[in-house]
Amino acid sequence: MANTFSQIYLQFVFAVKNRQSLISKDHKEELHKYITALVQNRKAKLLAINCMPDHIHLFVGFKPTILISDFVKEIKVESNEFINNKKWVKGKFGWQEGYGVFSYSHSHIDAVVKYVLNQEVHHQKKTFKQEYLSLLEKFEIPFEDRFLFDFME
């Protein structure tokens, strides 16, 4: 789109189905590379990625031509297929329904990149549930406990 200028920085957070710890450290780097390619194929720029055993953080420079819901759905579907084809888990791998998406200004890029890359240290102090609740509260995103805790449990 000619004459369209944007600065959109989004952090995506979503969990493994049933919050199972299925993303092994042995496969983390390969999964990061695969998801990086998925993001790039959608003309977005991956600024940071970090898979924890039970969830993932993606920090992305985003284009206004992409629908957020389509982006997340495609990343989830294609990475599910990748993990299942690799047979990294017994049974069938899947991402949980739903996701969190949080927007940041350009001045926050460095801090968010550090936050995403330091998830292992961060989760020594906070559970995923505590982290997710604090993001919802920080961004003043209304939520109903019954839906949130279905997602979290």
Side-chain angles (χ1 to χ4, degrees):
M1 284 190 276
N3 299 321
T4 300
F5 306 98
S6 67
Q7 279 190 341
I8 304 170
Y9 303 101
L10 301 175
Q11 179 187 188
F12 296 91
V13 182
F14 45 93
V16 173
K17 192 170 190 172
N18 300 319
R19 295 286 327 287
Q20 296 181 74
S21 293
L22 297 178
I23 301 172
S24 123
K25 284 186 180 186
D26 295 339
H27 304 302
K28 187 174 169 172
E29 186 177 336
E30 188 174 353
L31 182 57
H32 284 183
K33 287 178 183 177
Y34 185 77
I35 292 175
T36 298
L38 295 176
V39 169
Q40 291 170 342
N41 289 342
R42 283 153 185 82
K43 307 295 185 231
K45 181 178 181 181
L46 189 67
L47 301 170
I49 183 172
N50 203 341
C51 293
M52 297 302 295
D54 62 351
H55 70 283
I56 187 170
H57 291 259
L58 305 172
F59 187 42
V60 177
F62 214 71
K63 299 283 184 196
T65 56
I66 307 168
L67 287 174
I68 291 171
S69 58
D70 288 349
F71 177 84
V72 175
K73 180 182 176 184
E74 292 167 6
I75 298 295
K76 284 179 161 186
V77 166
E78 291 184 35
S79 60
N80 281 347
E81 291 171 358
F82 177 76
I83 292 167
N84 286 316
N85 289 339
K86 290 283 189 173
K87 299 184 185 327
W88 286 345
V89 299
K90 290 182 181 178
K92 188 170 181 172
F93 178 87
W95 296 109
Q96 196 144 339
E97 192 175 327
Y99 58 92
V101 59
F102 309 97
S103 61
Y104 295 88
S105 67
H106 188 270
S107 64
H108 290 105
I109 290 174
D110 288 343
V112 178
V113 167
K114 286 176 188 166
Y115 172 77
V116 169
L117 296 178
N118 288 310
Q119 283 294 296
E120 286 86 0
V121 172
H122 180 71
H123 284 294
Q124 290 174 357
K125 300 173 190 162
K126 267 188 177 178
T127 66
F128 174 60
K129 188 175 185 177
Q130 292 168 328
E131 173 189 44
Y132 201 79
L133 283 171
S134 68
L135 284 168
L136 293 173
E137 290 167 0
K138 175 183 173 182
F139 285 89
E140 298 179 10
I141 298 173
F143 62 91
E144 291 184 43
D145 285 352
R146 65 188 172 113
F147 295 120
L148 176 66
F149 295 112
D150 283 347
F151 170 75
M152 301 304 296
E153 301 304 332

